[in-house]
Structure formats: C-alpha cells, structure tokens
Amino acid sequence: MASLRLSNLITRSLSRRAEAHRQMAKAALFADSSTRTRLKRYNHHIEKAQQLEARALETAKRSVGGAA
C-alpha cells in the first residue's frame, strides 16, 4: 500500500514538472531574444515536458499493474 502512495506522489510530481516546462516553453516564445533562440528554447521545454509525461504515464501503469 505504501508503494502505491509513493508512485502516486511520483506521478503527480512528474506531471507538475511537465506543466512547468510547458509554461517555460510558452514564456520562451515571448522572450526578448532572436527567433532562432526562442524556437530552440521552446522546443527544448516541450520535449522535456513530453518526456516527463511519458515517465508519469509509465509510473502510473506500473502502479496499477503492481496493485492487481
């Protein structure tokens, strides 16, 4: 039961970090820098958010599989 709670906290933490990276990606679009730099920063943060969401989904699947 404790591991189920821990995985739930990990999943939430990863989702929050992914949301923060999406917000940073949006901020990068409006930064006072060149278009190339803004796009590079945007792509970096979107990619990181996608990786974190994938890890959160994987963790959630493992916790459901382990509880059954």
Side-chain angles (χ1 to χ4, degrees), residues 51-66:
Q51 291 171 356
L52 289 167
E53 283 294 331
R55 282 179 55 196
L57 183 61
E58 183 180 309
T59 302
K61 284 181 182 178
R62 265 193 267 137
S63 68
V64 170

Side-chain angles (χ1 to χ4, degrees), residues 13-34:
S13 176
L14 291 172
S15 295
R16 287 182 187 141
R17 287 177 56 203
E19 179 58 34
H21 277 282
R22 283 191 290 275
Q23 290 175 0
M24 287 185 270
K26 289 177 188 175
L29 292 176
F30 299 102
D32 188 20
S33 53
S34 70

